[in-house]
Amino acid sequence: MSAVRANPKPAAPAASPACDFDLVIVGAGFGGLYMLHRARQRGLKVRLFEAAGGVGGTWWWNRYPGARVDIESFEYSFAFDDALQQEWQWSERYAAQPELLRYLNHVADRFGLRPDMQFDTRVNAARFDEAAGVWDLEVGDGQRVRTRYCAMATGLLSAPHKPPIPGLDTFKGEQYQTSYWPHHEVDFTGKRVAVIGTGSSAIQSIPVIARQAKHLTVFQRTPNFSIPLRNCPMDREIEKRIKADYKKWREMEFNSFGGFISVNYEPYGFNPKAALEVSAQERRAEYERRWASGGLCFYLAFTDLLFNREANETLAEFVREKIRERVKDPAVAELLVPQGYPILTKRLCADTGYYETFNRDNVTLVSIKDTPIEKITPTGIVVAGREYPVDAIVFATGFDAVTGALNKIDIRGRGGAALKDQWRNGPRTSVGIMSAGFPNLFFVNGPGSPAAFFQPVLLAEYQGDWILDCIGYLDRNGKRTIEATESAAEEFVKHSAEIAGSTLFGLSNNWYMGANIPGKTRVMLMYLGGFPAYRDQCVAAAANGYGKFVLDGTAAGQAVAA
Ligand code: NAP
């Protein structure tokens, strides 16, 4: 685990066959930055390409009002360097987007990463040159780059989804998308604003927009379950306590199912009891404690919540009751109360005054569950034959998650096969890191990994180390290519599907299964077995000289130096 491991010795790279780089990394979010830093330490010639104008990934793009992380700042940060952990001072329990961006820029500067990063440069295509055993990339405006290895740290939620609502282009007012928020300040003062969508991004931005706009109309298709975030300024005593014991906290995170344990206030970690095995009183007490603590700790409240509908319903009913208490108008409350799908199976939201916003006189909720938006006109939004006149529309309509960003790149492996064709019926990876037929191509926080179910910063560290260890092994052994086998991918996909099939996730239209994107194959896109089990899979895959992979086109595992 990266947090407790000494820096590995630099590997001696094998001679590069007419390559510009040993490793190209795509994406300058948490995953890309970590990998760049470690690759440089190992002596690799590396270049990172980023479509945005700066570092940050998610936190570069998502600048909408109210954007902040909903995993505690102390946890949602790099673990690999204790000096960095000690020197950085978080100002809030849950950092807001500007602070996260400052932090990532600090990391880039502190470790001198900028000389190896190229911004405003999208990677458009990646083709594997079989004869040379290298990747040929087309980047930016036609620049060609050849690299031995390529790591896609392109992000889980980085391909925005904007539904093609009829008339969209005729709208004469302002249009915004939460995930493409402009860098200049947007002032809604005196304006009639519409927000379409009620996922995490909407739930964070709606209270802020409502305070500024003349009138806000929220168009809701599916109500979400949301828990109070209970953000607050960082308590310096708590900071001291955590920093004194950071190593221990990080070890606990790395050995936990989801990688977060709420270190900051009270550690409301994993409860080993099942909801249905305890009394109604004990259950209620557990829910009330977690409600008071706030945030995502409900995922860890009882072991059966994601597996048993009856158990799940105990939590769903608890939260429904709380929503009804927060909203004054009972008719509006009923529209906001989620029904018909298990709580936690659509990503739980964490809010600051979301439900109370609907108590304001300048806010209207329009349910589009049974009557979808008919069209957008030059002046407004039409639902059930009625036009809601607006000056600005905010699309908080989510992402083509997990595979979307990869599919935007024309990735072609052996025989010119396209990755998106290979994944048409769902992504197929070996341990979420490699795909058969695509040698030397790695994914960070990608499909098949526990991303979204494990703290993504820590997962990026683990996977970054795994990938660089793998490259180091190949270099030490004079090997030029590694690729997943179809049988290993099949085994891993089957194992993941079995776990997913035992959960309640199939009972809601969630982005974890691609169910938010019309026409996308409905299949669980990530590993649900928890990080410790995932780590075991990764260790097993690397055992016996990467025995579950093919090296230099032949089965691995022959006698080579460890
Ligand atoms: P999202 O959760 O997918 O929400 C998208 C919203 O748009 C949903 O309410 C969806 O309705 C609605 N929508 C989509 N297409 C529509 C259409 N054609 N007509 C009407 N409504 C439509 O996306 P998100 O809010 O951007 O969040 C995505 C994920 O990013 C989160 O789940 C979370 O993991 C992460 N995130 C985290 C934070 C944080 O707190 N740190 C903040 C933002 C995002 P349906 O539900 O009916 O599909």
Side-chain angles (χ1 to χ4, degrees), residues 64 68-70 157 161 163 196-202 204 221-222 346-347 368 396-399 511 516:
Y64 59 83
R68 71 172 66 247
V69 66
D70 59 5
L157 294 156
H161 166 62
I196 302 177
T198 49
S200 297
S201 304
Q204 287 189 327
R221 187 163 69 181
T222 311
K346 277 168 96 75
R347 170 63 151 68
I368 52 172
T397 42
F399 300 86
W511 59 257
N516 63 325

Side-chain angles (χ1 to χ4, degrees), residues 22-271:
D22 294 313
L23 172 66
V24 161
I25 299 164
V26 188
F30 274 100
L33 291 187
Y34 177 74
M35 200 152 179
L36 175 58
H37 171 55
R38 288 301 204 203
R40 283 162 41 119
Q41 279 185 329
R42 291 182 187 228
L44 296 177
K45 189 175 178 200
V46 57
R47 169 65 51 93
L48 183 152
F49 293 106
E50 166 59 61
V55 301
T58 286
W59 303 104
W60 166 272
W61 297 106
N62 289 266
R63 295 161 184 257
Y64 59 83
R68 71 172 66 247
V69 66
D70 59 5
I71 293 171
E72 295 188 7
S73 318
F74 273 119
E75 305 194 72
Y76 189 81
S77 47
F78 285 121
F80 70 90
D81 188 290
D82 193 49
L84 171 66
Q85 292 191 135
Q86 296 295 335
E87 79 200 10
W88 186 263
Q89 279 213 316
W90 294 106
S91 71
E92 293 179 279
R93 181 182 181 189
Y94 298 97
Q97 177 270 337
E99 185 168 17
L100 285 157
L101 200 55
R102 273 201 305 281
Y103 171 75
L104 287 162
N105 275 291
H106 171 75
V107 170
D109 292 331
R110 189 186 198 287
F111 296 102
L113 304 181
R114 292 188 196 275
D116 294 315
M117 293 196 273
Q118 190 172 321
F119 298 113
D120 298 308
T121 309
R122 183 171 286 283
V123 173
N124 301 310
R127 293 185 192 87
F128 185 65
D129 175 340
E130 285 191 67
V134 301
W135 281 92
D136 199 337
L137 309 186
E138 190 191 301
V139 305
D141 297 333
Q143 185 188 345
R144 295 283 293 277
V145 169
R146 283 168 78 78
T147 177
R148 296 165 57 216
Y149 301 101
C150 186
M152 298 291 181
T154 42
L156 199 60
L157 294 156
S158 53
H161 166 62
K162 190 172 183 179
I165 299 172
L168 185 62
D169 295 338
T170 66
F171 185 61
K172 294 263 186 283
E174 301 159 37
Q175 278 189 47
Y176 301 97
Q177 195 158 1
T178 47
S179 44
Y180 275 139
W181 204 260
H183 287 211
H184 60 81
E185 203 193 323
V186 176
D187 187 3
F188 290 125
T189 308
K191 293 186 178 148
R192 297 163 304 174
V193 182
V195 172
I196 302 177
T198 49
S200 297
S201 304
I203 280 176
Q204 287 189 327
S205 57
I206 282 168
V208 184
I209 296 172
R211 287 200 291 274
Q212 206 179 55
K214 182 173 164 206
H215 196 90
L216 171 65
T217 308
V218 176
F219 293 86
Q220 169 190 270
R221 187 163 69 181
T222 311
N224 254 303
F225 289 97
S226 186
I227 303 297
L229 183 64
R230 305 208 190 283
N231 184 38
C232 55
M234 187 60 74
D235 179 322
R236 293 298 158 209
E237 283 310 307
I238 290 173
E239 176 179 358
K240 252 193 241 163
R241 175 166 66 76
I242 291 166
K243 286 188 172 175
D245 242 344
Y246 229 140
K247 190 174 165 195
K248 179 188 86 181
W249 294 116
R250 292 303 195 184
E251 276 177 9
M252 283 171 69
E253 287 164 14
F254 272 108
N255 288 313
S256 68
F257 188 98
F260 68 95
I261 48 174
S262 299
V263 294
N264 195 353
Y265 285 73
E266 292 182 59
Y268 283 122
F270 174 73
N271 177 3

